[in-house]
Structures are given as structure tokens and as C-alpha cells.
Amino acid sequence: MSFLADQWPEVLRLTLEHVLLCAIALGIALLLALPLGVWVHGRSSRIGIVTGIAGVLYTLPSLALFAILVPIVGLGVLPTVIGLVLYAQLMLVRAVVSGLDSVPEDVRDAAVGMGIDRWRILVEVDLPLALPVFLAGVRMAAVTVIGIATVGAVIDAGGLGELILQGIQRNQTERVVVGALAVTALALGTDYGLVRLERRSRPWVGQQGSGAAA
Amino acid sequence: MDDARGVIEFDQVTKVYPGATAPSIDRLTMRIEAGEIVALVGPSGSGKTTAMRMVNRLHEPSSGTIRIDGVDNRTLPIEELRRGIGYVIQQVGLFPHRTVLDNVGTVPALLGWDSHRIQQRSRELLDLVGLDPSTFGDRYPAQLSGGQRQRVGVARALAADPPVMLMDEPFGAIDPLVREQIQDEFLRMQRDVRKTIIIVTHDLDEAMRMGDRVAVLQEGGVLAQLATPEQLLSAPANAFVRQFVGGDAPLRRLALARVRELPLIPLDVAHGQGFGLFVDATGRPVHWASGAPVTVTVELETTLRTAAGELLAAGAQYAPVVDELGRPVALLTTDMLHGWLNRPTEAMLAAAVTTTLAQAHTA
């Protein structure tokens, strides 16, 4: 692969750009989805409205969504980040809700019965217990965002999509392949990292059965 | 020790759930004394859990008042009220992400105790419920058996030394063999801690074993009877209670007393009536003065139910009562068991007094 030997600083730059783009989008998406998920949790009407809207956004083709945003906010990173944030909402809000659903009812009942206030229950009981299920959703969202961010190159957002786009325009298959492989590697690496994190988020399981009968 | 703490009064408490046509609890009035265990029993739909959960305001009454030590339980801020009431549920509800010690220290931490004191108190309580703190303290709940989890649940409820404890089917999820042992341990512990305890259970045997008094609720959340186990069995207040305690009420009653509680016939008197005993070298009875062999003996600490069973099995009308070394101390006859079951005046009198008092209180 002579292409990589020549162009590796360029590939590295675009990869970092891609990572940054996705990290910013995911970060903002999380800041939005977390309170949103907590707000809708346990109220089916709210869940219906929020996942309804997020679901419509999710089904829009990414290229179309970016195209809609460009006349409003212009070209570049901004519309791409907005688009990615919107895309991730459906998965992330659902992840928060199913994470909170996974908190055992008896644990919550005991917490309320012992006089722990609502805010503390949320922060000290609900969120830590919801974390493993929530992180599984974050993983999906992260992989999706990494993939879709590639399309952002079309509206000048940079990132690894640019490599692929150039390859297509200049008819350089090597560029397309390297770009695609890099995106895939990024997605797989993120996935792996988050799986590790998911496991570490529940140190209290996996050691069951060592207790004798009473 | 402040022994007067923890009196719970239900005053005309009614609970109608939103959308329900009939009340779950209907004008419940009862007074639970400090240091007393009252077991709430009844069929499902009798509102027993609802009644209990109104004490720490997990449910709010539709009308009526619940007072703890004379103070309306709506006076305190709700969290403060709950921190002062121990709460134990069937599924325990331990925090799976916290160690056993941290679980036990939950309420003390909420009350702002310093960490050293919390640690010390949590260890003390694990000891009290029979779990070695250095073995179990740093484990997670998932690493404990069901019985161990339940003990941690009890320790957690006791941590801040609340005068009142609410227990919802606390031993229901524990397998029957261990359950009785844990119940006995709990009763032993209660002798020291003297909490005012409401236990909700669907198991009449458990209610009888645990409760100083038993409150029987019937459909529609009406209190059918609040009485000692003995009164409940010997003088059921109505047809519902009679049916609820079942046809084997006499046997259940026999299980409530021990042989030593009977007016046994002393040996010398028995001897005079022709029930002389010959003993062997170790002092154990071998045969009667009549020459008939001794086929069965009963111990002083045996329940009357077991004693009756042993007499029946041996086909005997009477048997020597022996001490822990097997030496005869008195004589037990089936007539005594019969007589014990048929001493209606005392039990009925007590029940009548309770009813009158309850009516006076209502009026």
C-alpha cells in the first residue's frame, strides 16, 4: 500500500478530525438525552411524544437531513454535528429509559421507604444501576454516529468521509478503501472500548453464588 | 431506654385508591403499643399491605389519621418521617451496587453521621443479625444467600435505631427450613431491641408465631379482630375469623403453649393416686406401679401440640413429664390438654374486654 506510506499524516489528520466530530456530537447528544430520558421515564405519554419525534428524525436519510440543515446553518461542522445529535437521540433516550426500567422495583421501593429523597435516589441509585443497560445503548449510538459522520464530508465537515469522497472523485480506489477501513476500525475500536466500560460499570455482578445457605 | 416510644395509632383510617369503587382500608382504628409486634393477616385484597404502607406514607390515607407517639405522621417532612421508621420488604431491596456494610449504613449516612460512627454501627448490626462483619461486610448482595440478604435487610432497617419497624412479608422469600430459624432469631433479637413492629404476612402460622397480637383484616379492608393468637383461636370475633383460622384451630392453640404451663400433677400426688413410677439407675421412668411399661414421656419445654401427638401415637391416656435429663417431675394426662382447650371463661373474658375497649375507643 504505497498510498498509506505517502499519505499517512493526511489519514491521521482526517481520522482525528473524525474522532473529534463524533465525540462532540455524541457529547452534546448525551447532555440532551440524559435529562430527556429521565423526564420521560415512567410516563408513557411523554415517551410516545419524544420517541415519536426522534423516530421520525432517525428515519430521515442522513444526506437529506444534512441538506435540510445547510440552508439554515450553512456548510461545515455545525450542520453535521446537529444532524448527528438528532440521529443519536432516538437510541440514547431509549437507552436511558430502558436503563431506568432495569432498576429493580424493590430496590427503589426500599430506597423511598428509607427516606432517601428523589434527587438522591436518581443520582445514587437509579443512574448507577441504569448504567450498564444505558452504556449498551451508548455503544450503538456511538457506532452509528461514527458511520453517519462519514456522510458529513459532503457538506464540508471533514473527517474520514473526505478521504472516501476524494477517492470517488479522483477515481482512486486506494483512498476509498483506506477511508472505509479506517472508519470501520474506528467503529470497532469504540465498540470494544465501550464493551469493556460496560463490564466495568457493574462490578457487583459476576461473582454470584459464593454465599452458603443462610 | 425510652420505653414509651413507638406507639402507633390508626384513627378511623380509610383508603380508597383513585378509580376504585370500594375502599382498600375501611375506617381502621387500632392502637399498637410500644415494643409490641402486631401481625397483619388477611386474604389478598384485604388491604394489609396498604395499611402498613400508610404508616410511613408510602400511601396516604383518604381520610383518618395515623399517629406515632401521639403525633400525626403528616407533621414531619416525609423523608424525615421515613428515616425514623425501619422498613423491610420481602424482596429485601438491597442496593446491588453497594457493599453489605454500605447498605446497612444507608440511613445513618442520610442522617449525616460521621463515617467512623457509621462503620462502627454497621458492623455492630451485622453482628447482631448473626453475620460476621469481616467476612460479609465487603461483599455485594449478589454474593449472599437469600437468608443472608434478609438478615442484611433487617440490619439496615435497624441501623439508625428507629422505634418503629414495618415489615412486609419479611420472611416470605426464604425457604421454609431456614425461615423458622430466622423467625426465631428475629424474636430473640426483638427481646433486646423492643421495637414496635408491624408485620404483614399472608401466613397465619407466621402471624401466630411472630405476633404478640394478630390483626385479621377481611375483604374490603375491615378489621375483623385484633387479639392475641390465643384469643383469636379460642374466641374468634366472627364467622370470617373462625373460617380464616380454620378447622384445626384447636391444634394451633395447642401449639401456643408448652407443657410446663399446664397445672401438672406433682409426682407425690400422682403416686398417691396410684400412678407411682419405677425408675432405672439413671433416674429414668421404666414402668408404672401397676407394672405396665412407660411407653412415652414428654418434656417440659414441648408444645402441647407435640405432646398431644406423642400421647396419641403411643395410645396413652397419661405420661410422665420429664426434665432435660429424662427424670420424671410430674404427670400429664389427656384430660389436662382437653381442659386447657376448654377453659373458655378466661379467653372469652379477655376477648370481651378487648372488644369493649375497642368499642369505647371508637365511641
Side-chain angles (χ1 to χ4, degrees):
Chain A
M1 283 218 130
S2 60
F3 171 78
L4 253 189
D6 293 347
Q7 302 285 326
W8 69 264
E10 172 74 354
V11 174
L12 191 65
R13 186 184 65 81
L14 290 172
T15 305
L16 288 178
E17 225 174 76
H18 200 96
V19 169
L20 203 63
L21 189 68
C22 294
I24 290 170
L26 209 59
I28 295 172
L30 282 171
L31 288 179
L32 213 62
L34 211 61
L36 208 55
V38 170
W39 184 68
V40 301
H41 175 248
R43 292 186 175 83
S44 49
S45 57
R46 290 183 186 175
I47 292 180
I49 294 168
V50 171
T51 55
I53 295 170
V56 169
L57 290 169
Y58 187 71
T59 50
L60 279 178
S62 48
L63 198 56
L65 182 61
F66 291 150
I68 295 168
L69 287 167
V70 168
I72 307 168
V73 296
L75 287 168
V77 171
L78 187 61
T80 310
V81 167
I82 293 175
L84 292 176
V85 168
L86 292 177
Y87 262 111
Q89 284 312 297
L90 181 68
M91 280 176 283
L92 290 179
V93 170
R94 273 196 186 154
V96 175
V97 171
S98 44
L100 291 174
D101 280 342
S102 75
V103 178
E105 206 39 61
D106 58 293
V107 172
R108 206 174 275 139
D109 182 36
V112 174
M114 284 189 293
I116 309 182
D117 54 81
R118 280 174 66 178
W119 178 250
R120 266 195 147 136
I121 291 177
L122 178 67
V123 174
E124 293 178 15
V125 180
D126 283 346
L127 291 181
L129 291 179
L131 195 61
V133 172
F134 172 65
L135 280 179
V138 171
R139 196 154 62 85
M140 267 176 55
V143 171
T144 309
V145 163
I146 289 171
I148 294 178
T150 318
V151 184
V154 179
I155 54 169
D156 267 356
L160 287 165
E162 204 172 304
L163 211 59
I164 298 172
L165 207 60
Q166 288 167 357
I168 294 169
Q169 284 160 355
R170 303 177 199 171
N171 203 11
Q172 289 174 333
T173 315
E174 272 182 326
R175 266 181 199 272
V176 177
V177 171
V178 169
L181 284 178
V183 172
T184 309
L186 207 56
L188 285 175
T190 305
D191 190 63
Y192 177 72
L194 284 171
V195 168
R196 298 279 307 253
L197 196 65
E198 216 177 297
R199 269 191 214 130
R200 282 181 45 186
S201 71
R202 42 183 170 187
W204 60 87
V205 292
Q207 304 151 295
Q208 298 194 6
S210 60
Chain B
M1 285 295 285
D2 188 354
D3 281 341
R5 286 173 74 223
V7 176
I8 306 169
E9 290 165 285
F10 287 77
D11 187 357
Q12 292 288 310
V13 174
T14 294
K15 173 70 181 180
V16 188
Y17 283 104
T21 49
S24 295
I25 284 292
D26 195 0
R27 285 162 293 167
L28 175 62
T29 296
M30 65 176 177
R31 181 185 157 96
I32 300 170
E33 300 299 336
E36 180 185 35
I37 301 182
V38 165
L40 293 182
V41 285
S44 45
S46 60
K48 51 191 190 295
T49 299
T50 301
M52 188 203 78
R53 289 169 70 95
M54 285 191 286
V55 175
N56 63 351
R57 294 179 61 197
L58 289 167
H59 295 317
E60 300 283 1
S62 309
S63 66
T65 309
I66 295 171
R67 282 183 291 269
I68 299 175
D69 291 325
V71 180
D72 188 331
N73 71 347
R74 286 165 294 199
T75 313
L76 278 180
I78 198 160
E79 267 90 24
E80 207 174 308
L81 171 82
R82 288 172 180 162
R83 287 169 196 176
I85 298 175
Y87 185 53
V88 181
I89 54 178
Q90 179 176 3
Q91 298 305 329
V92 197
L94 295 180
F95 300 130
H97 58 306
R98 294 203 180 153
T99 63
V100 167
L101 274 177
D102 287 345
N103 264 287
V104 176
T106 303
V107 177
L110 288 171
L111 295 173
W113 295 16
D114 69 75
S115 58
H116 179 73
R117 188 171 161 218
I118 295 174
Q119 178 85 4
Q120 200 183 346
R121 176 70 178 158
S122 304
R123 294 180 151 268
E124 199 179 295
L125 277 159
L126 281 184
D127 255 336
L128 182 71
V129 298
L131 294 174
D132 176 18
S134 45
T135 309
F136 294 99
D138 295 326
R139 292 202 188 166
Y140 287 106
Q143 297 167 280
L144 303 180
S145 71
Q148 288 165 342
R149 272 200 284 271
Q150 194 50 261
R151 285 165 210 239
V152 176
V154 170
R156 182 171 70 170
L158 284 168
D161 204 20
V164 172
M165 276 178 79
L166 306 177
M167 308 178 85
D168 190 357
E169 302 271 1
F171 310 111
I174 299 170
D175 70 87
L177 282 176
V178 184
R179 191 186 305 154
E180 221 164 296
Q181 183 198 338
I182 292 193
Q183 287 169 342
D184 285 345
E185 276 171 23
F186 184 80
L187 287 175
R188 259 200 300 281
M189 199 173 69
Q190 163 68 356
R191 265 178 237 147
D192 296 329
V193 297
R194 305 297 306 168
K195 301 298 178 192
T196 308
I197 300 172
I198 297 182
I199 289 185
V200 166
T201 176
H202 64 271
D203 176 357
L204 187 63
D205 284 320
E206 178 168 271
M208 299 267 174
R209 198 173 311 128
M210 305 294 290
D212 297 312
R213 287 190 296 161
V214 177
V216 183
L217 290 164
Q218 60 192 55
E219 283 96 345
V222 175
L223 178 64
Q225 190 168 13
L226 170 62
T228 64
E230 165 59 19
Q231 288 166 356
L232 210 62
L233 292 166
S234 58
N238 63 18
F240 175 82
V241 178
R242 196 171 305 119
Q243 207 222 329
F244 190 74
V245 297
D248 50 356
L251 283 177
R252 287 183 197 274
R253 283 178 62 204
L254 286 175
L256 294 173
R258 296 179 189 280
V259 170
R260 68 174 147 71
E261 295 169 42
L262 288 180
L264 301 167
I265 302 174
L267 271 192
D268 50 343
V269 178
H271 189 79
Q273 293 175 354
F275 292 102
L277 276 170
F278 286 90
V279 297
D280 64 13
T282 60
R284 295 200 173 91
V286 185
H287 60 85
W288 301 97
S290 64
V294 172
T295 50
V296 59
T297 61
V298 294
E299 285 185 25
L300 280 166
E301 289 304 313
T302 309
T303 66
L304 297 190
R305 183 174 179 160
T306 308
E310 284 170 353
L311 285 173
L312 265 178
Q317 295 291 319
Y318 48 86
V321 177
V322 297
D323 62 15
E324 61 272 29
L325 294 174
R327 296 172 308 204
V329 291
L331 186 74
L332 172 75
T333 69
T334 50
D335 284 348
M336 287 176 200
L337 298 175
H338 182 74
W340 191 85
L341 280 176
N342 291 284
R343 39 184 191 99
T345 45
E346 187 193 328
M348 278 181 171
L349 193 69
V353 169
T354 313
T355 315
T356 317
L357 282 177
Q359 281 162 353
H361 197 254
T362 318

